[in-house]
Amino acid sequence: MLRVGIISNPFAKIIKQNPEYNTRLWYTLAHYGQMEVTHSVEQLRQVCLEFHARKINLVGIVGGDGSISLVLSALYSAYGSDPLPKILLLKGGTINFLAKNLGIKTEALTCLEDTLKIIHKKQALNEAILSTLHVNGRLGFIFANGIATSFLEEFYKDKTNSFGAAIKITSYIVDGLLKGKINGEFKKIVRQQKMSIETFPEKIWQQKAISAKSPDEFSLIFASTVKKLPLTNQFFKKVKLGDEYAEMIAISEKGKKLIKGALKSLMGGDIYNLPHVYSVKFKQAHITSYENSLYSLDGDLLDSKDGKIEIEMGPNFVFCSPYEIAK
């Protein structure tokens, strides 16, 4: 029997645009379960502990990718060694890349209505198992460093949506192709950073021959347990959903060659054969950034303080949907 709980982020884009949205969600949920609007991390922890005590086994999350990351981390802590609840994505954020990876296109209220219809008929929801990354104590799905953090710092100054992000990336690419003659933004965010990377059980450098030593200056580092980055059709080719491995891609290319790789990935092309792109499936990774302690997890900018970032595999979660789930 499914016991439903919904956690809503009042700062999610869909809620900010329509303050009555939470009321409509609460009215739709009715006797099927419990809905909570959390305004702080501490309140979120308390709600997850209450859900555990009430044996809630299907948790709907209203918000963006950062909200999902925070809720999963709080659920993992609250449920401990007991079975984790299944997750229902009720997308309401800016980018919603996780929903895109699962093929969920409808907005939160419609998705909830369709889910409750299936539960009422005692039919089974579609499911997919996703592995998580455990990065410096927080769960998520996509880790990024290097240029990605510089881009997010700029993007959040006038945060819009996926279309706005695409326009901003396009402006950087065009500026780079024209050697900074448009606005100089390309050079502003695109610079290599000195880092050291270790991955286990295999070293990332085993995938290609390195003549002298492992490269230590990088433009971009990504790690993921899902296949798609925002704005791409498929970026990580080695990811298999729920297999308890992640993929890391480290890029030490720069300048116009970096632009070439970016254009190729945005068009769905394979970047693995580019000379300064390294990739490996891994279970643990240690990254030390010597210049910038910031990194991104599911779109949230976080500070590692000392530049040290520890990544390991987190728990698997079962994601449910009333619609067919992309594999």
Side-chain angles (χ1 to χ4, degrees), residues 2-17:
L2 287 176
R3 299 180 180 88
V4 185
I6 294 179
I7 297 174
S8 178
N9 175 8
F11 307 108
K13 185 175 181 180
I14 196 170
I15 307 299
K16 290 171 71 176
Q17 290 178 340

Side-chain angles (χ1 to χ4, degrees), residues 77-106:
S77 175
Y79 279 66
S81 58
D82 288 337
L84 290 165
K86 297 180 180 181
I87 305 299
L88 174 68
L89 291 189
L90 300 172
K91 69 174 192 173
T94 302
I95 302 296
N96 298 303
F97 82 82
L98 192 56
K100 180 180 179 182
N101 269 281
L102 294 174
I104 299 172
K105 300 177 181 179
T106 59

Side-chain angles (χ1 to χ4, degrees), residues 212-280:
K213 62 177 183 177
S214 299
D216 60 1
E217 290 190 340
F218 299 92
S219 299
L220 276 166
I221 298 174
F222 290 115
S224 179
T225 59
V226 293
K227 298 178 181 180
K228 299 176 183 178
L229 282 176
L231 309 179
T232 65
N233 290 324
Q234 182 173 345
F235 188 82
F236 299 93
K237 310 292 184 181
K238 299 176 182 177
V239 165
K240 293 182 179 179
L241 299 186
D243 73 345
E244 298 184 350
Y245 274 86
E247 180 180 358
M248 178 177 288
I249 296 177
I251 302 171
S252 59
E253 197 55 272
K254 57 184 178 180
K256 280 193 174 182
K257 292 181 179 179
L258 182 63
I259 296 175
K260 178 183 177 182
L263 288 170
K264 191 172 185 179
S265 66
L266 287 172
M267 296 175 67
D270 188 340
I271 64 169
Y272 290 82
N273 59 354
L274 297 177
H276 298 290
V277 175
Y278 309 90
S279 168
V280 70

Side-chain angles (χ1 to χ4, degrees), residues 105-303:
K105 300 177 181 179
T106 59
E107 50 93 13
L109 184 61
T110 302
C111 185
L112 177 60
E113 290 171 341
D114 292 342
T115 298
L116 295 179
K117 287 176 185 176
I118 290 176
I119 292 174
H120 180 72
K121 294 178 181 177
K122 297 183 178 180
Q123 297 175 343
L125 292 163
N126 294 310
E127 296 182 352
I129 299 174
L130 299 188
S131 299
T132 59
L133 294 173
H134 194 258
V135 184
N136 283 9
R138 178 169 161 177
L139 300 183
F141 298 91
I142 295 181
F143 164 89
N145 207 351
I147 292 171
T149 56
S150 301
F151 170 77
L152 285 172
E153 284 184 281
E154 293 299 312
F155 174 66
Y156 287 139
K157 290 178 182 177
D158 54 354
K159 188 174 179 180
T160 53
N161 51 28
S162 298
F163 182 68
I167 291 176
K168 208 165 187 69
I169 287 176
T170 301
S171 73
Y172 290 138
I173 291 174
V174 173
D175 186 63
L177 290 171
L178 297 179
K179 299 181 179 179
K181 292 180 180 179
I182 295 181
N183 49 29
E185 288 187 329
F186 181 76
K187 290 184 179 179
K188 183 178 178 181
I189 71 161
V190 178
R191 66 180 185 86
Q192 290 187 311
Q193 298 177 27
K194 187 175 181 180
M195 304 181 201
S196 66
I197 306 172
E198 294 178 273
T199 56
F200 305 93
E202 291 187 8
K203 295 181 179 179
I204 193 169
W205 319 122
Q206 288 181 186
Q207 304 302 312
K208 294 183 181 181
I210 304 294
S211 57
K213 62 177 183 177
S214 299
D216 60 1
E217 290 190 340
F218 299 92
S219 299
L220 276 166
I221 298 174
F222 290 115
S224 179
T225 59
V226 293
K227 298 178 181 180
K228 299 176 183 178
L229 282 176
L231 309 179
T232 65
N233 290 324
Q234 182 173 345
F235 188 82
F236 299 93
K237 310 292 184 181
K238 299 176 182 177
V239 165
K240 293 182 179 179
L241 299 186
D243 73 345
E244 298 184 350
Y245 274 86
E247 180 180 358
M248 178 177 288
I249 296 177
I251 302 171
S252 59
E253 197 55 272
K254 57 184 178 180
K256 280 193 174 182
K257 292 181 179 179
L258 182 63
I259 296 175
K260 178 183 177 182
L263 288 170
K264 191 172 185 179
S265 66
L266 287 172
M267 296 175 67
D270 188 340
I271 64 169
Y272 290 82
N273 59 354
L274 297 177
H276 298 290
V277 175
Y278 309 90
S279 168
V280 70
K281 291 187 72 172
F282 72 98
K283 281 183 173 288
Q284 286 183 297
H286 308 302
I287 299 174
T288 301
S289 178
Y290 299 100
E291 299 178 42
N292 187 353
S293 60
L294 289 179
Y295 65 94
S296 168
L297 185 63
D298 293 355
D300 277 359
L301 279 175
L302 305 169
D303 195 335

